[in-house]
Amino acid sequence: MKTRITDMLGIEFPVLAFSHCRDVVAAVSKAGGMGVLGAVAHSPESLEIDLDWIEAEVGDKPYGVDVIMAAKQAGGTGGGYTLDDVRRLIPATHIEFVDEILARYDVPPLPDEGGSDSLTSFGSLGDAAPFSADTAGAQLEIALSHRAAFVANALGPPPPQMIDAAKGAGRLVGALAGRAVHAERHAAAGADIIIAQGYEAGGHTGEVGSMVLIPEVVDAVDIPVLGAGGVGRGRQMAAAMALGAEGVWCGSVWLTTAEAETHPVVKDKMLAATSSDTMRSRSLTGKPARMLKSAWTEEWERDDTPDPLPMPLQPVLTRAAQRRIQRASHHAGSGAEKLANYFVGQIVGTMNQTKTSAQVVYEIIEEFIDSVESLAGRLED
């Protein structure tokens, strides 16, 4: 295939795979697309390890890295919060609510917690707060010290320091947009590629569906556009490209692949889910993000419970609780199993069989070819 995306990135197929799993990233790059590693949960040390591993696996094939440099955060625009700074901003009512959920669903504490509380740990990120400028800046620096051909900002316009660093290193910059005006801002900031991500997508999304959003974004900017949101099959890729996109950005479809590190309980839920079994919720990150419906999302939607806090307060509030849920959810019928969920898009309704990542790439391209040929045949006399 040949589009501006394949030419710019040096790939065979204009299929970009966003994943937090390095195995998926490597498998898709080796299959002719391009894997993009979501770095948000990585410490500097773990990101170094994963990028070294990816480069050893893919050889000279390109890959990308996705970071989150949020334009606005609770408490101001500096974004240099430490975890201690964030913890001091979290109301006691919210801490009590999370602890009450865990107690009511009988979720046991982690072995190293001694029975308490929901703010004891944020995993491997060190002292920096999640989604903060300090965290994302370190991740970007590590990505640019490796061979990442492409860096993307997943939430808002790429800030000047990101554009300057990436362009100075000769790398391409992408940004996700949920509205045409967002795409215009990204292009004005210096982005090379726009990911037009519709309402159907997993994770942080806007409110406009892909069928409407993609042509609006294509018409709004002169740079290449990737279609995202509800894309997991070749027919959807053909539809995105018919709307003017020059490739696709897929995330959810990799969560049930053989290589994915998705929690086994959550993977089983995804394999059984329909397209109606997701919702946009602020309950994990503080910003609207599409995820599986579960007892966790139901608790935060009740009229008598606190509203989720802004980013980055909400992920700090809930991270240790989520670790407890994940650790205990393998017990069938347990409260932790009922609470377990993860980000996923409406495409989950067709993710009902475990496949390798390479198989998913090839099936997308084969169905894309069949769809385009079928449409072309309708123009014949």
Side-chain angles (χ1 to χ4, degrees), residues 55-100:
E55 292 183 358
E57 284 289 310
V58 303
D60 61 356
K61 293 184 179 296
Y63 72 92
V65 175
D66 178 280
V67 300
I68 292 182
M69 287 188 168
K72 293 183 180 180
Q73 303 223 42
T77 58
Y81 282 140
T82 67
L83 282 176
D84 285 340
D85 293 332
V86 174
R87 289 185 183 112
R88 284 192 287 268
L89 296 172
I90 295 176
T93 53
H94 285 72
I95 299 171
E96 292 166 1
F97 176 55
V98 171
D99 288 341
E100 188 270 334

Side-chain angles (χ1 to χ4, degrees), residues 212-251:
V212 172
L213 178 67
I214 293 171
E216 285 187 346
V217 171
V218 168
D219 291 344
V221 298
D222 293 327
I223 58 178
V225 174
L226 293 168
V231 179
R233 300 186 60 173
R235 282 179 287 177
Q236 289 145 350
M237 179 178 176
M241 295 184 73
L243 294 171
E246 299 192 48
V248 291
W249 172 280
C250 310

Side-chain angles (χ1 to χ4, degrees), residues 60-184:
D60 61 356
K61 293 184 179 296
Y63 72 92
V65 175
D66 178 280
V67 300
I68 292 182
M69 287 188 168
K72 293 183 180 180
Q73 303 223 42
T77 58
Y81 282 140
T82 67
L83 282 176
D84 285 340
D85 293 332
V86 174
R87 289 185 183 112
R88 284 192 287 268
L89 296 172
I90 295 176
T93 53
H94 285 72
I95 299 171
E96 292 166 1
F97 176 55
V98 171
D99 288 341
E100 188 270 334
I101 291 175
L102 298 175
R104 183 154 40 86
Y105 283 85
D106 197 26
V107 181
L110 295 171
D112 58 353
E113 284 187 359
S116 66
D117 61 17
S118 46
L119 299 182
T120 55
S121 170
F122 200 83
S124 61
L125 292 180
D127 292 330
F131 307 112
S132 70
D134 286 349
T135 298
Q139 293 165 344
L140 176 64
E141 183 177 347
I142 291 167
L144 297 179
S145 72
H146 286 72
R147 290 196 298 99
F150 172 77
V151 293
N153 192 38
L155 203 61
Q161 63 267 34
M162 181 178 183
I163 294 289
D164 293 344
K167 295 296 182 69
R171 317 301 170 84
L172 297 172
V173 179
L176 278 75
R179 294 170 58 190
V181 67
H182 297 162
E184 291 172 344

